[in-house]
Amino acid sequence: MKRLLIDEQNKTQAITEAVKVLRNGGLIVFPTETAYGVGALATNSEAVTKLLQYKERPVGKAISVAVADRETAERYVEINNEADQLFKQFLPGPLTVVCNSKHYADTRLESEKATLGIRIPDFDFTLKLLKELKEGISATSANRAGKKTPYSIEDILANNPARKTEMLDLILDYGELPKRPTSTVIDTTTLDMQVIRSGAISFDTPIIEKEITSYEEMIDLGTSFTKENIKGKAESLIIISFNAELGAGKTQFMKGVALALGINETIKSPTYSLLNEYDTHDGLKLIHIDTWRMASVAELEEVLQESYFAHRNIIAIEWAGAAEEMIREKTQQAIKNGVKVIRFNVEILYTNKDTRRIKIVKSHE
């Protein structure tokens, strides 16, 4: 395994070396706008075999392909009218567009329905790499199944046994990436386009979109949001996922949520405890999670009880992207058990030093 720390001076060299490794059937770790991915040349059967062994992923569970542009994508998939509009509007960007495969890539990357997801990452270094390669590579996160979403190389190495790390031929280390949600996955092959996985891009109309200029306003917003959207929904499991940087006001928002629920305890971000639990007077339970310092998903699994994924519970997750896969799996299991799930995605962006723009989108899982 070779690890390259990418800087302005060695970008061209790193791209040349990565292309060589890929063409020789090797695996690379590469940065994207959502997380670090693990890449294998999509048309190389030996490389795909190695990828599947690394990910421990069964055949039939699809892996998308990252390409540099639409022209390259057309070698891999059939782009219908719906997909065409998504390509024009959102790509490059954190969106995976599922289309009918042309079977140009190794078919083990396809779904059981012979569809294939296509990604055009919005990350300049990786786009240049893909343009130089002139082919597609696998676009799956570099973590193994059930492990922490990798925003740094340390996230990968700390959660890999040595035998897995040794399978990686080249690591392109771009430093710590922003903790953003995973890509949204949308299937364009169905009668009505279907969102398979919610992520960075939402196709739902925001229920709230406004600017906030003080922490007091953020608390007030958390209170009004809860009164309007959570109170009275006691028979559902409520999940609130945050996409926001440090200091954006996530904990202040949660203080407002707690006030509306009648919780008298002081709300603090569970940065070190990972999870705090609060009971309300009317029998609801608030589970407040912060994955910022989480080293592995196993840490969260130790404290995140199965009973939390049930009616009358509210799960709020700061830095939700780091545990997205595990949360999604537990949510899907709850749905199978008859639990109605309502999810709110809360995005808080800095617009200037004193102003935040907050957007809240509601979705039914």
Side-chain angles (χ1 to χ4, degrees):
M1 178 201 74
K2 182 176 181 179
R3 181 174 178 177
L4 276 179
L5 298 175
I6 309 301
D7 56 35
E8 289 300 323
Q9 285 69 44
N10 70 358
K11 282 183 179 180
T12 300
Q13 172 201 340
I15 287 172
T16 300
E17 191 160 346
V19 167
K20 183 178 179 180
V21 168
L22 288 164
R23 287 177 176 163
N24 287 334
L27 296 186
I28 69 167
V29 172
F30 63 98
T32 75
E33 74 275 34
T34 56
Y36 277 97
V38 59
L41 190 63
T43 55
N44 186 313
S45 61
E46 291 183 6
V48 172
T49 295
K50 190 175 180 181
L51 171 73
L52 295 174
Q53 290 171 347
Y54 173 82
K55 289 287 289 185
E56 300 178 356
R57 198 158 182 149
V59 175
K61 191 168 184 182
I63 292 177
S64 59
V65 171
V67 297
D69 48 42
R70 182 198 170 106
E71 181 181 356
T72 307
E74 287 179 329
R75 295 209 299 270
Y76 290 86
V77 295
E78 298 172 4
I79 299 176
N80 60 23
N81 291 335
E82 289 77 11
D84 178 62
Q85 292 303 311
L86 293 173
F87 269 71
K88 290 176 179 176
Q89 186 173 356
F90 295 106
L91 298 180
L95 179 70
T96 299
V97 182
V98 177
C99 307
N100 286 314
S101 176
K102 290 183 176 178
H103 316 302
Y104 178 69
D106 190 304
T107 55
R108 289 173 294 173
L109 299 176
E110 299 174 1
S111 73
E112 293 175 340
K113 300 189 298 178
T115 60
L116 184 67
I118 294 292
R119 271 267 276 141
I120 303 180
D122 188 14
F123 202 94
D124 185 64
F125 172 82
T126 301
L127 278 179
K128 288 178 178 176
L129 190 163
L130 292 168
K131 287 176 182 176
E132 181 68 23
L133 181 65
K134 298 181 177 62
E135 288 288 357
I137 65 174
S138 58
T140 180
S141 59
N143 59 306
R144 294 182 299 120
K147 299 301 180 182
K148 181 183 180 183
T149 301
Y151 297 110
S152 69
I153 299 304
E154 283 65 33
D155 286 340
I156 301 167
L157 300 181
N159 289 289
N160 263 352
R163 62 184 177 83
K164 291 293 183 182
T165 300
E166 290 168 2
M167 297 176 71
L168 302 171
D169 298 283
L170 178 64
I171 293 177
L172 300 168
D173 188 346
Y174 217 86
E176 184 155 355
L177 303 175
K179 291 181 170 63
R180 293 172 177 151
T182 54
S183 70
T184 299
V185 181
I186 187 164
D187 189 349
T188 64
T189 68
T190 54
L191 188 60
D192 295 312
M193 286 194 298
Q194 180 181 0
V195 175
I196 298 174
R197 182 181 76 193
S198 298
I201 292 175
S202 174
F203 295 94
D204 296 309
T205 302
I207 59 170
I208 294 174
E209 191 166 14
K210 64 183 300 184
E211 288 192 341
I212 297 291
T213 58
S214 70
Y215 283 140
E216 290 74 22
E217 284 185 49
M218 190 67 81
I219 293 172
D220 290 343
L221 181 61
T223 300
S224 60
F225 158 78
T226 303
K227 289 179 177 178
E228 294 169 11
N229 296 280
I230 294 179
K231 299 278 281 186
K233 303 289 193 305
E235 297 312 312
S236 300
L237 165 63
I238 307 293
I239 297 179
I240 306 171
S241 298
F242 287 93
N243 172 27
E245 292 299 321
L246 281 171
K250 300 181 292 294
T251 301
Q252 304 305 316
F253 185 91
M254 287 306 303
K255 287 180 179 180
V257 172
L259 280 173
L261 293 174
I263 295 171
N264 296 322
E265 298 172 66
T266 300
I267 301 298
K268 295 181 179 180
S269 182
T271 304
Y272 294 96
S273 61
L274 197 58
L275 181 152
N276 289 336
E277 179 181 330
Y278 307 91
D279 292 315
T280 70
H281 296 303
D282 51 3
L284 301 179
K285 190 182 296 292
L286 174 63
I287 302 98
H288 186 192
I289 300 167
D290 184 342
T291 70
W292 172 250
R293 292 185 178 272
M294 182 180 73
S296 71
V297 174
E299 290 182 37
L300 183 57
E301 286 181 315
E302 288 181 8
V303 296
L304 192 59
Q305 303 170 23
E306 294 294 334
S307 61
Y308 289 154
F309 289 81
H311 298 299
R312 303 184 65 77
N313 286 344
I314 302 156
I315 301 175
I317 315 162
E318 299 187 25
W319 308 103
E324 181 65 32
E325 186 174 332
M326 187 191 75
I327 296 296
R328 190 184 313 116
E329 289 175 356
K330 290 185 178 295
T331 300
Q332 291 302 317
Q333 185 58 52
I335 292 170
K336 289 179 182 179
N337 294 337
V339 177
K340 181 182 178 182
V341 178
I342 301 175
R343 184 160 185 164
F344 297 94
N345 294 306
V346 181
E347 180 181 70
I348 309 173
L349 299 174
Y350 288 96
T351 55
N352 59 47
K353 180 177 177 291
D354 301 312
T355 306
R356 316 282 190 270
R357 172 164 287 278
I358 184 164
K359 181 169 73 173
I360 303 178
V361 175
K362 176 182 178 181
S363 63
H364 294 268
E365 297 287 334

